Amino acid sequence: MADTMQFDLVSPERRLVSVPVREVRLPGTDGDLSAMPGHAPVIVNLRPGMVVVVDESGAEAEFAVTGGFAEINNNSVSLLAERGHARGEMTQAIFNEMMVDAIRRRKIAEEKHSAGEEIVAAAVKLLADMEAMGTHIGLDPNQASVPD
């Protein structure tokens, strides 16, 4: 079994990273998951959170994602993020934009109760995951405000 696998992280705007890695930690909707070389093939839906990659030397890099999916194979992980940024790029302004989108989704879901309680619960969880990601990075989730 190889010691590394290929990791590619892309968002609609750009490719964030393409490197060999020893491990990728993903914020899955059904729970967090670590992928390493030799992992069984699977597609994972992602929730907002931090993707952590461990390179060949053991150094870690973090990327904030708002969701998306990852395709894991025995020798690669390809992640398509709804929106993604390297942790070092995350500013309060960028995080506020992400929070505003999550708050809007929750408001829309709550206004459309006919959509069902599952959708409202999913929107509330999305917002909570965004808040947790911001707190992890050291950003203030309370600074984001949505115009009425």
Side-chain angles (χ1 to χ4, degrees), residues 10 12 16 18 23 29 32 42 47 60-61 64 67 69 71 79 88 112-113 115 117 122 126 129 134 137 145:
V10 297
L16 280 93
S18 179
E23 179 183 2
T29 55
D32 292 349
V42 65
R47 63 177 166 73
E60 294 184 1
F69 70 91
E71 179 181 13
L79 193 158
K112 297 182 178 186
H113 280 293
E117 289 183 28
L126 172 88
D129 289 338
I137 296 171
S145 61

Side-chain angles (χ1 to χ4, degrees), residues 2 13 25 31 33 124 137:
E13 298 84 27
R25 294 182 216 136
L33 169 75
V124 169
I137 296 171

Side-chain angles (χ1 to χ4, degrees), residues 79-146:
L79 193 158
L80 176 58
E82 290 174 0
R83 186 167 179 184
H85 294 277
R87 181 178 177 151
E89 294 177 352
M90 287 295 293
T91 63
Q92 188 66 52
I94 291 171
F95 180 66
N96 288 351
E97 291 174 16
M98 293 175 164
M99 284 294 296
V100 165
D101 184 53
I103 291 167
R104 282 191 178 131
R105 288 185 191 189
R106 186 196 66 200
K107 282 186 176 184
I108 289 168
E110 288 174 344
E111 289 170 1
K112 297 182 178 186
H113 280 293
S114 62
E117 289 183 28
E118 294 170 0
I119 293 174
V120 174
V124 169
K125 179 160 180 6
L126 172 88
L127 182 56
D129 289 338
M130 286 297 303
E131 290 172 347
M133 180 175 63
T135 301
H136 175 81
I137 296 171
L139 301 173
D140 184 0
N142 296 315
Q143 286 191 19
S145 61
V146 178

Side-chain angles (χ1 to χ4, degrees), residues 39-66:
H39 197 287
V42 65
I43 294 177
V44 178
N45 289 318
L46 302 174
R47 63 177 166 73
M50 300 303 294
V51 173
V52 180
V53 296
V54 181
D55 72 13
E56 297 170 291
S57 70
E60 294 184 1
E62 291 184 306
F63 299 88
V65 298
T66 59

